[in-house]
PDB file of all heavy atoms in Angstrom:
ATOM      1  N   ARG A 641      25.813 -33.637   3.691  1.00  0.00           N
ATOM      2  CA  ARG A 641      26.544 -34.261   2.584  1.00  0.00           C
ATOM      3  C   ARG A 641      26.520 -33.376   1.327  1.00  0.00           C
ATOM      4  O   ARG A 641      27.510 -33.240   0.628  1.00  0.00           O
ATOM      5  CB  ARG A 641      26.026 -35.648   2.304  1.00  0.00           C
ATOM      6  CG  ARG A 641      26.577 -36.712   3.224  1.00  0.00           C
ATOM      7  CD  ARG A 641      26.219 -38.132   2.705  1.00  0.00           C
ATOM      8  NE  ARG A 641      24.791 -38.404   2.854  1.00  0.00           N
ATOM      9  CZ  ARG A 641      24.230 -38.906   3.927  1.00  0.00           C
ATOM     10  NH1 ARG A 641      25.025 -39.199   4.967  1.00  0.00           N
ATOM     11  NH2 ARG A 641      22.944 -39.128   4.004  1.00  0.00           N
ATOM     12  N   GLU A 642      25.323 -32.838   1.052  1.00  0.00           N
ATOM     13  CA  GLU A 642      25.210 -31.981  -0.124  1.00  0.00           C
ATOM     14  C   GLU A 642      26.085 -30.754   0.010  1.00  0.00           C
ATOM     15  O   GLU A 642      26.654 -30.262  -0.979  1.00  0.00           O
ATOM     16  CB  GLU A 642      23.722 -31.602  -0.280  1.00  0.00           C
ATOM     17  CG  GLU A 642      23.425 -30.774  -1.580  1.00  0.00           C
ATOM     18  CD  GLU A 642      23.286 -29.292  -1.266  1.00  0.00           C
ATOM     19  OE1 GLU A 642      22.614 -28.953  -0.278  1.00  0.00           O
ATOM     20  OE2 GLU A 642      23.829 -28.501  -2.041  1.00  0.00           O
ATOM     21  N   LEU A 643      26.152 -30.214   1.220  1.00  0.00           N
ATOM     22  CA  LEU A 643      27.004 -29.007   1.450  1.00  0.00           C
ATOM     23  C   LEU A 643      28.456 -29.365   1.484  1.00  0.00           C
ATOM     24  O   LEU A 643      29.317 -28.461   1.266  1.00  0.00           O
ATOM     25  CB  LEU A 643      26.594 -28.317   2.736  1.00  0.00           C
ATOM     26  CG  LEU A 643      25.183 -27.689   2.793  1.00  0.00           C
ATOM     27  CD1 LEU A 643      24.850 -27.297   4.215  1.00  0.00           C
ATOM     28  CD2 LEU A 643      25.149 -26.492   1.843  1.00  0.00           C
ATOM     29  N   GLY A 644      28.845 -30.577   1.762  1.00  0.00           N
ATOM     30  CA  GLY A 644      30.214 -30.978   1.835  1.00  0.00           C
ATOM     31  C   GLY A 644      30.960 -30.400   3.036  1.00  0.00           C
ATOM     32  O   GLY A 644      32.171 -30.152   2.941  1.00  0.00           O
ATOM     33  N   THR A 645      30.286 -30.260   4.176  1.00  0.00           N
ATOM     34  CA  THR A 645      30.874 -29.634   5.330  1.00  0.00           C
ATOM     35  C   THR A 645      31.520 -30.614   6.235  1.00  0.00           C
ATOM     36  O   THR A 645      32.213 -30.255   7.243  1.00  0.00           O
ATOM     37  CB  THR A 645      29.841 -28.812   6.142  1.00  0.00           C
ATOM     38  OG1 THR A 645      28.772 -29.713   6.497  1.00  0.00           O
ATOM     39  CG2 THR A 645      29.296 -27.669   5.309  1.00  0.00           C
ATOM     40  N   GLY A 646      31.357 -31.943   6.042  1.00  0.00           N
ATOM     41  CA  GLY A 646      31.902 -32.946   6.920  1.00  0.00           C
ATOM     42  C   GLY A 646      31.382 -32.788   8.326  1.00  0.00           C
ATOM     43  O   GLY A 646      30.172 -32.526   8.546  1.00  0.00           O
ATOM     44  N   ASP A 647      32.277 -32.943   9.295  1.00  0.00           N
ATOM     45  CA  ASP A 647      31.849 -32.829  10.703  1.00  0.00           C
ATOM     46  C   ASP A 647      32.144 -31.441  11.264  1.00  0.00           C
ATOM     47  O   ASP A 647      32.122 -31.267  12.502  1.00  0.00           O
ATOM     48  CB  ASP A 647      32.497 -33.902  11.546  1.00  0.00           C
ATOM     49  CG  ASP A 647      34.044 -33.822  11.534  1.00  0.00           C
ATOM     50  OD1 ASP A 647      34.561 -32.942  10.840  1.00  0.00           O
ATOM     51  OD2 ASP A 647      34.679 -34.658  12.202  1.00  0.00           O
ATOM     52  N   ARG A 648      32.463 -30.471  10.442  1.00  0.00           N
ATOM     53  CA  ARG A 648      32.691 -29.122  10.927  1.00  0.00           C
ATOM     54  C   ARG A 648      31.358 -28.492  11.441  1.00  0.00           C
ATOM     55  O   ARG A 648      30.287 -28.747  10.930  1.00  0.00           O
ATOM     56  CB  ARG A 648      33.313 -28.233   9.842  1.00  0.00           C
ATOM     57  CG  ARG A 648      34.731 -28.602   9.522  1.00  0.00           C
ATOM     58  CD  ARG A 648      35.347 -27.726   8.457  1.00  0.00           C
ATOM     59  NE  ARG A 648      34.707 -27.980   7.156  1.00  0.00           N
ATOM     60  CZ  ARG A 648      35.004 -27.254   6.031  1.00  0.00           C
ATOM     61  NH1 ARG A 648      35.887 -26.284   6.105  1.00  0.00           N
ATOM     62  NH2 ARG A 648      34.423 -27.597   4.915  1.00  0.00           N
ATOM     63  N   VAL A 649      31.504 -27.589  12.414  1.00  0.00           N
ATOM     64  CA  VAL A 649      30.371 -26.874  12.970  1.00  0.00           C
ATOM     65  C   VAL A 649      29.989 -25.763  12.009  1.00  0.00           C
ATOM     66  O   VAL A 649      30.842 -24.979  11.595  1.00  0.00           O
ATOM     67  CB  VAL A 649      30.706 -26.302  14.359  1.00  0.00           C
ATOM     68  CG1 VAL A 649      29.555 -25.469  14.866  1.00  0.00           C
ATOM     69  CG2 VAL A 649      31.023 -27.428  15.328  1.00  0.00           C
ATOM     70  N   ILE A 650      28.707 -25.721  11.651  1.00  0.00           N
ATOM     71  CA  ILE A 650      28.221 -24.757  10.621  1.00  0.00           C
ATOM     72  C   ILE A 650      27.671 -23.517  11.332  1.00  0.00           C
ATOM     73  O   ILE A 650      26.813 -23.602  12.250  1.00  0.00           O
ATOM     74  CB  ILE A 650      27.125 -25.391   9.780  1.00  0.00           C
ATOM     75  CG1 ILE A 650      27.731 -26.539   8.945  1.00  0.00           C
ATOM     76  CG2 ILE A 650      26.454 -24.370   8.879  1.00  0.00           C
ATOM     77  CD1 ILE A 650      26.664 -27.338   8.188  1.00  0.00           C
ATOM     78  N   PHE A 651      28.156 -22.350  10.912  1.00  0.00           N
ATOM     79  CA  PHE A 651      27.556 -21.081  11.233  1.00  0.00           C
ATOM     80  C   PHE A 651      26.985 -20.500   9.980  1.00  0.00           C
ATOM     81  O   PHE A 651      27.667 -20.438   8.926  1.00  0.00           O
ATOM     82  CB  PHE A 651      28.602 -20.137  11.849  1.00  0.00           C
ATOM     83  CG  PHE A 651      28.988 -20.508  13.253  1.00  0.00           C
ATOM     84  CD1 PHE A 651      30.096 -21.351  13.483  1.00  0.00           C
ATOM     85  CD2 PHE A 651      28.275 -20.070  14.367  1.00  0.00           C
ATOM     86  CE1 PHE A 651      30.449 -21.755  14.749  1.00  0.00           C
ATOM     87  CE2 PHE A 651      28.632 -20.465  15.623  1.00  0.00           C
ATOM     88  CZ  PHE A 651      29.708 -21.294  15.866  1.00  0.00           C
ATOM     89  N   LEU A 652      25.733 -20.065  10.020  1.00  0.00           N
ATOM     90  CA  LEU A 652      25.009 -19.636   8.836  1.00  0.00           C
ATOM     91  C   LEU A 652      24.701 -18.133   8.897  1.00  0.00           C
ATOM     92  O   LEU A 652      24.350 -17.613   9.961  1.00  0.00           O
ATOM     93  CB  LEU A 652      23.718 -20.430   8.699  1.00  0.00           C
ATOM     94  CG  LEU A 652      22.776 -19.979   7.588  1.00  0.00           C
ATOM     95  CD1 LEU A 652      23.378 -20.354   6.233  1.00  0.00           C
ATOM     96  CD2 LEU A 652      21.400 -20.702   7.738  1.00  0.00           C
ATOM     97  N   THR A 653      24.908 -17.467   7.751  1.00  0.00           N
ATOM     98  CA  THR A 653      24.462 -16.106   7.601  1.00  0.00           C
ATOM     99  C   THR A 653      23.571 -16.061   6.345  1.00  0.00           C
ATOM    100  O   THR A 653      23.955 -16.602   5.319  1.00  0.00           O
ATOM    101  CB  THR A 653      25.656 -15.123   7.418  1.00  0.00           C
ATOM    102  OG1 THR A 653      26.407 -15.136   8.597  1.00  0.00           O
ATOM    103  CG2 THR A 653      25.162 -13.729   7.136  1.00  0.00           C
ATOM    104  N   VAL A 654      22.394 -15.435   6.472  1.00  0.00           N
ATOM    105  CA  VAL A 654      21.507 -15.306   5.322  1.00  0.00           C
ATOM    106  C   VAL A 654      21.361 -13.825   5.110  1.00  0.00           C
ATOM    107  O   VAL A 654      20.739 -13.062   5.940  1.00  0.00           O
ATOM    108  CB  VAL A 654      20.127 -15.959   5.628  1.00  0.00           C
ATOM    109  CG1 VAL A 654      19.229 -15.845   4.340  1.00  0.00           C
ATOM    110  CG2 VAL A 654      20.294 -17.437   5.984  1.00  0.00           C
ATOM    111  N   ALA A 655      21.876 -13.313   3.993  1.00  0.00           N
ATOM    112  CA  ALA A 655      21.912 -11.877   3.811  1.00  0.00           C
ATOM    113  C   ALA A 655      22.217 -11.538   2.363  1.00  0.00           C
ATOM    114  O   ALA A 655      22.864 -12.299   1.641  1.00  0.00           O
ATOM    115  CB  ALA A 655      23.008 -11.210   4.665  1.00  0.00           C
ATOM    116  N   ARG A 656      21.720 -10.354   1.956  1.00  0.00           N
ATOM    117  CA  ARG A 656      22.144  -9.817   0.672  1.00  0.00           C
ATOM    118  C   ARG A 656      23.614  -9.397   0.847  1.00  0.00           C
ATOM    119  O   ARG A 656      24.015  -8.854   1.875  1.00  0.00           O
ATOM    120  CB  ARG A 656      21.283  -8.598   0.328  1.00  0.00           C
ATOM    121  CG  ARG A 656      21.565  -8.052  -1.077  1.00  0.00           C
ATOM    122  CD  ARG A 656      20.439  -7.087  -1.525  1.00  0.00           C
ATOM    123  NE  ARG A 656      20.655  -6.658  -2.877  1.00  0.00           N
ATOM    124  CZ  ARG A 656      21.258  -5.498  -3.213  1.00  0.00           C
ATOM    125  NH1 ARG A 656      21.709  -4.687  -2.224  1.00  0.00           N
ATOM    126  NH2 ARG A 656      21.430  -5.142  -4.460  1.00  0.00           N
ATOM    127  N   LEU A 657      24.404  -9.612  -0.218  1.00  0.00           N
ATOM    128  CA  LEU A 657      25.800  -9.297  -0.162  1.00  0.00           C
ATOM    129  C   LEU A 657      25.994  -7.794  -0.446  1.00  0.00           C
ATOM    130  O   LEU A 657      26.349  -7.417  -1.530  1.00  0.00           O
ATOM    131  CB  LEU A 657      26.596 -10.156  -1.143  1.00  0.00           C
ATOM    132  CG  LEU A 657      26.354 -11.679  -1.033  1.00  0.00           C
ATOM    133  CD1 LEU A 657      27.315 -12.417  -1.975  1.00  0.00           C
ATOM    134  CD2 LEU A 657      26.501 -12.195   0.411  1.00  0.00           C
ATOM    135  N   ALA A 658      25.669  -7.016   0.571  1.00  0.00           N
ATOM    136  CA  ALA A 658      25.633  -5.564   0.411  1.00  0.00           C
ATOM    137  C   ALA A 658      26.181  -4.898   1.676  1.00  0.00           C
ATOM    138  O   ALA A 658      26.350  -5.524   2.710  1.00  0.00           O
ATOM    139  CB  ALA A 658      24.204  -5.099   0.123  1.00  0.00           C
ATOM    140  N   GLN A 659      26.489  -3.607   1.582  1.00  0.00           N
ATOM    141  CA  GLN A 659      27.203  -2.887   2.575  1.00  0.00           C
ATOM    142  C   GLN A 659      26.489  -2.915   3.938  1.00  0.00           C
ATOM    143  O   GLN A 659      27.123  -3.055   4.974  1.00  0.00           O
ATOM    144  CB  GLN A 659      27.372  -1.420   2.138  1.00  0.00           C
ATOM    145  CG  GLN A 659      28.195  -0.548   3.028  1.00  0.00           C
ATOM    146  CD  GLN A 659      27.324   0.297   3.936  1.00  0.00           C
ATOM    147  OE1 GLN A 659      26.062   0.285   3.882  1.00  0.00           O
ATOM    148  NE2 GLN A 659      27.956   1.103   4.763  1.00  0.00           N
ATOM    149  N   GLN A 660      25.158  -2.833   3.961  1.00  0.00           N
ATOM    150  CA  GLN A 660      24.446  -2.777   5.232  1.00  0.00           C
ATOM    151  C   GLN A 660      24.634  -4.050   6.067  1.00  0.00           C
ATOM    152  O   GLN A 660      24.537  -3.977   7.314  1.00  0.00           O
ATOM    153  CB  GLN A 660      22.923  -2.650   4.942  1.00  0.00           C
ATOM    154  CG  GLN A 660      22.060  -2.638   6.187  1.00  0.00           C
ATOM    155  CD  GLN A 660      20.557  -2.780   5.890  1.00  0.00           C
ATOM    156  OE1 GLN A 660      20.115  -2.396   4.813  1.00  0.00           O
ATOM    157  NE2 GLN A 660      19.824  -3.377   6.760  1.00  0.00           N
ATOM    158  N   LYS A 661      24.927  -5.170   5.447  1.00  0.00           N
ATOM    159  CA  LYS A 661      24.960  -6.447   6.171  1.00  0.00           C
ATOM    160  C   LYS A 661      26.242  -6.675   6.931  1.00  0.00           C
ATOM    161  O   LYS A 661      26.316  -7.686   7.640  1.00  0.00           O
ATOM    162  CB  LYS A 661      24.716  -7.575   5.201  1.00  0.00           C
ATOM    163  CG  LYS A 661      23.380  -7.457   4.489  1.00  0.00           C
ATOM    164  CD  LYS A 661      22.183  -7.369   5.438  1.00  0.00           C
ATOM    165  CE  LYS A 661      20.856  -7.260   4.716  1.00  0.00           C
ATOM    166  NZ  LYS A 661      19.722  -7.193   5.637  1.00  0.00           N
ATOM    167  N   GLY A 662      27.256  -5.807   6.847  1.00  0.00           N
ATOM    168  CA  GLY A 662      28.455  -5.974   7.671  1.00  0.00           C
ATOM    169  C   GLY A 662      29.234  -7.209   7.483  1.00  0.00           C
ATOM    170  O   GLY A 662      29.839  -7.733   8.427  1.00  0.00           O
ATOM    171  N   LEU A 663      29.255  -7.729   6.259  1.00  0.00           N
ATOM    172  CA  LEU A 663      29.857  -9.027   6.022  1.00  0.00           C
ATOM    173  C   LEU A 663      31.389  -9.042   6.161  1.00  0.00           C
ATOM    174  O   LEU A 663      32.010 -10.091   6.354  1.00  0.00           O
ATOM    175  CB  LEU A 663      29.420  -9.583   4.672  1.00  0.00           C
ATOM    176  CG  LEU A 663      27.967  -9.904   4.545  1.00  0.00           C
ATOM    177  CD1 LEU A 663      27.585 -10.207   3.110  1.00  0.00           C
ATOM    178  CD2 LEU A 663      27.560 -11.056   5.448  1.00  0.00           C
ATOM    179  N   GLU A 664      31.997  -7.842   6.084  1.00  0.00           N
ATOM    180  CA  GLU A 664      33.426  -7.768   6.370  1.00  0.00           C
ATOM    181  C   GLU A 664      33.749  -8.183   7.805  1.00  0.00           C
ATOM    182  O   GLU A 664      34.789  -8.818   8.057  1.00  0.00           O
ATOM    183  CB  GLU A 664      33.972  -6.402   6.060  1.00  0.00           C
ATOM    184  CG  GLU A 664      33.564  -5.293   7.037  1.00  0.00           C
ATOM    185  CD  GLU A 664      32.113  -4.792   6.803  1.00  0.00           C
ATOM    186  OE1 GLU A 664      31.481  -5.220   5.865  1.00  0.00           O
ATOM    187  OE2 GLU A 664      31.674  -3.964   7.648  1.00  0.00           O
ATOM    188  N   THR A 665      32.837  -7.914   8.736  1.00  0.00           N
ATOM    189  CA  THR A 665      33.013  -8.416  10.072  1.00  0.00           C
ATOM    190  C   THR A 665      32.968  -9.895  10.140  1.00  0.00           C
ATOM    191  O   THR A 665      33.734 -10.524  10.918  1.00  0.00           O
ATOM    192  CB  THR A 665      31.933  -7.768  11.011  1.00  0.00           C
ATOM    193  OG1 THR A 665      32.109  -6.352  11.033  1.00  0.00           O
ATOM    194  CG2 THR A 665      32.034  -8.305  12.429  1.00  0.00           C
ATOM    195  N   LEU A 666      32.056 -10.526   9.406  1.00  0.00           N
ATOM    196  CA  LEU A 666      31.971 -11.958   9.403  1.00  0.00           C
ATOM    197  C   LEU A 666      33.276 -12.572   8.899  1.00  0.00           C
ATOM    198  O   LEU A 666      33.792 -13.585   9.504  1.00  0.00           O
ATOM    199  CB  LEU A 666      30.837 -12.442   8.476  1.00  0.00           C
ATOM    200  CG  LEU A 666      30.605 -13.947   8.438  1.00  0.00           C
ATOM    201  CD1 LEU A 666      29.966 -14.419   9.724  1.00  0.00           C
ATOM    202  CD2 LEU A 666      29.740 -14.342   7.241  1.00  0.00           C
ATOM    203  N   LEU A 667      33.901 -11.972   7.906  1.00  0.00           N
ATOM    204  CA  LEU A 667      35.182 -12.532   7.417  1.00  0.00           C
ATOM    205  C   LEU A 667      36.243 -12.321   8.470  1.00  0.00           C
ATOM    206  O   LEU A 667      37.135 -13.173   8.563  1.00  0.00           O
ATOM    207  CB  LEU A 667      35.570 -11.836   6.093  1.00  0.00           C
ATOM    208  CG  LEU A 667      34.590 -12.019   4.910  1.00  0.00           C
ATOM    209  CD1 LEU A 667      35.273 -11.565   3.645  1.00  0.00           C
ATOM    210  CD2 LEU A 667      34.018 -13.385   4.799  1.00  0.00           C
ATOM    211  N   ASP A 668      36.220 -11.198   9.180  1.00  0.00           N
ATOM    212  CA  ASP A 668      37.212 -10.962  10.210  1.00  0.00           C
ATOM    213  C   ASP A 668      37.063 -12.058  11.312  1.00  0.00           C
ATOM    214  O   ASP A 668      38.063 -12.545  11.832  1.00  0.00           O
ATOM    215  CB  ASP A 668      36.987  -9.598  10.850  1.00  0.00           C
ATOM    216  CG  ASP A 668      37.382  -8.458   9.973  1.00  0.00           C
ATOM    217  OD1 ASP A 668      38.218  -8.678   9.046  1.00  0.00           O
ATOM    218  OD2 ASP A 668      36.852  -7.337  10.135  1.00  0.00           O
ATOM    219  N   VAL A 669      35.814 -12.390  11.668  1.00  0.00           N
ATOM    220  CA  VAL A 669      35.595 -13.406  12.683  1.00  0.00           C
ATOM    221  C   VAL A 669      36.097 -14.759  12.197  1.00  0.00           C
ATOM    222  O   VAL A 669      36.777 -15.522  12.909  1.00  0.00           O
ATOM    223  CB  VAL A 669      34.122 -13.479  13.040  1.00  0.00           C
ATOM    224  CG1 VAL A 669      33.793 -14.724  13.883  1.00  0.00           C
ATOM    225  CG2 VAL A 669      33.686 -12.222  13.799  1.00  0.00           C
ATOM    226  N   ALA A 670      35.776 -15.112  10.900  1.00  0.00           N
ATOM    227  CA  ALA A 670      36.262 -16.385  10.362  1.00  0.00           C
ATOM    228  C   ALA A 670      37.756 -16.429  10.334  1.00  0.00           C
ATOM    229  O   ALA A 670      38.371 -17.500  10.615  1.00  0.00           O
ATOM    230  CB  ALA A 670      35.715 -16.516   8.936  1.00  0.00           C
ATOM    231  N   LYS A 671      38.433 -15.330  10.032  1.00  0.00           N
ATOM    232  CA  LYS A 671      39.907 -15.294  10.082  1.00  0.00           C
ATOM    233  C   LYS A 671      40.468 -15.531  11.478  1.00  0.00           C
ATOM    234  O   LYS A 671      41.422 -16.246  11.647  1.00  0.00           O
ATOM    235  CB  LYS A 671      40.391 -13.959   9.531  1.00  0.00           C
ATOM    236  CG  LYS A 671      41.910 -13.875   9.410  1.00  0.00           C
ATOM    237  CD  LYS A 671      42.319 -12.507   8.758  1.00  0.00           C
ATOM    238  CE  LYS A 671      43.832 -12.436   8.598  1.00  0.00           C
ATOM    239  NZ  LYS A 671      44.216 -11.180   7.915  1.00  0.00           N
TER     240      LYS A 671
END
Side-chain angles (χ1 to χ4, degrees):
R641 278 192 289 271
E642 184 259 316
L643 293 169
T645 56
D647 59 358
R648 289 181 290 177
V649 175
I650 294 172
F651 288 91
L652 175 67
T653 296
V654 182
R656 186 166 185 265
L657 309 185
Q659 185 261 0
Q660 178 192 330
K661 301 304 182 179
L663 295 170
E664 70 282 356
T665 297
L666 182 74
L667 300 194
D668 290 336
V669 169
K671 182 176 182 178

